Amino acid sequence: AQSVTQLDSQVPVFEEAPVELRCNYSSSVSVYLFWYVQYPNQGLQLLLKYLSGSTLVKGINGFEAEFNKSQTSFHLRKPSVHISDTAEYFCAVSDQGRDDKIIFGKGTRLHILP
Amino acid sequence: NAGVMQNPRHLVRRRGQEARLRCSPMKGHSHVYWYRQLPEEGLKFMVYLQKENIIDESGMPKERFSAEFPKEGPSILRIQQVVRGDSAAYFCASSPPGGKNSPLHFGNGTRLTVT
């Protein structure tokens, strides 16, 4: 069974500084990987996804993530954060092939400091 | 094109009552997932359904919880005899028939409070 670990529960960052949110996964088979964002009192929205091909994936709002198979990681990055990026970010994984559930990490709360 | 609709947004129940949470998937989506969110615990998978079929319910508590996705109408998550520990935000997500490489579209959740 697959699992997702988000190593940081909270990350404070100054506005306009770069940020990296870490995600590691475990699975015995090939996977699809996702990052979702949750703004207060809302559901989750897809930021980006890795299905196959290029390991560098670009998403919405200037975010990107890199799939590293050898390190089983899928870290999320943004070169310059804005106050509007304040939200909770979730990494998710699902096994390729057959229908299966999508498993989420515990989330990382991004605090943007003025 | 309406997104995933969940209702009610907030639900208050006394211990022992029943809670019914509704989810209307996006038009054309035949896959529905239910997740529970507790503070500091992230999203916990509960159940994955397709029309008239439960595909995976490995995250559902064995007692008091049930889910359905009938041929017509919304998906329902039903919690019988609620207890305080059931208080949480419950999120529904849907996806089209393409499977899991199609991203999930989430509703805004139902926040259940058990008093």
Side-chain angles (χ1 to χ4, degrees):
Chain A
Q2 67 271 52
S3 66
V4 179
T5 302
Q6 291 183 246
L7 296 167
D8 305 300
S9 58
Q10 297 189 58
V11 172
V13 183
F14 285 104
E15 197 169 11
E16 298 183 9
V19 68
E20 178 179 86
L21 305 183
R22 296 180 292 170
C23 172
N24 288 86
Y25 69 93
S26 66
S27 177
S28 57
V29 298
S30 296
V31 296
Y32 297 130
L33 293 158
F34 309 85
W35 275 98
Y36 284 81
V37 59
Q38 184 182 31
Y39 298 104
N41 298 314
Q42 294 185 27
L44 280 71
Q45 303 172 34
L46 181 71
L47 269 181
L48 49 80
K49 60 183 178 182
Y50 170 78
L51 303 180
S52 64
S54 173
T55 57
L56 183 63
V57 180
K58 293 191 183 297
I60 62 171
N61 300 341
F63 284 93
E64 64 180 30
E66 186 155 19
F67 170 54
N68 188 320
K69 188 174 182 179
S70 62
Q71 296 187 5
T72 60
S73 68
F74 191 54
H75 301 331
L76 181 71
R77 302 185 184 100
K78 186 169 182 177
S80 175
V81 296
H82 188 267
I83 195 76
S84 59
D85 294 323
T86 299
E88 190 152 20
Y89 293 80
F90 292 91
C91 183
V93 64
S94 67
D95 286 344
Q96 292 187 19
R98 64 183 186 89
D99 277 338
D100 202 354
K101 54 188 175 284
I102 297 173
I103 300 299
F104 285 81
K106 290 188 176 182
T108 298
R109 195 170 297 277
L110 181 60
H111 293 284
I112 308 300
L113 307 171
Chain B
N1 185 17
V4 177
M5 302 301 292
Q6 287 189 251
N7 66 82
R9 284 298 305 272
H10 300 275
L11 182 61
V12 179
R13 285 287 178 267
R14 293 197 177 120
R15 278 182 299 169
Q17 290 184 318
E18 178 179 288
R20 278 183 176 242
L21 288 63
R22 293 175 187 79
C23 170
S24 297
M26 285 184 71
K27 187 176 180 180
H29 286 193
S30 56
H31 298 217
V32 166
Y33 303 76
W34 284 94
Y35 290 84
R36 177 163 61 179
Q37 186 176 33
L38 289 164
E40 312 304 326
E41 292 190 18
L43 280 164
K44 295 286 190 184
F45 169 80
M46 299 182 74
V47 62
Y48 165 33
L49 310 106
Q50 294 179 17
K51 286 280 187 183
E52 300 184 281
N53 275 315
I54 296 175
I55 306 302
D56 184 337
E57 56 181 347
S58 58
M60 289 276 272
K62 295 291 182 236
E63 297 178 350
R64 301 188 299 107
F65 284 72
S66 62
E68 63 177 9
F69 187 19
K71 187 176 180 182
E72 301 290 340
S75 175
I76 305 287
L77 179 67
R78 183 182 177 205
I79 311 172
Q80 295 178 290
Q81 299 172 349
V82 296
V83 300
R84 288 220 172 103
D86 297 332
S87 296
Y90 292 83
F91 287 93
C92 169
S94 71
S95 69
K100 342 164 260 158
N101 61 353
S102 301
L104 298 180
H105 295 259
F106 280 82
N108 284 332
T110 293
R111 280 154 184 80
L112 173 65
T113 302
V114 179
T115 62

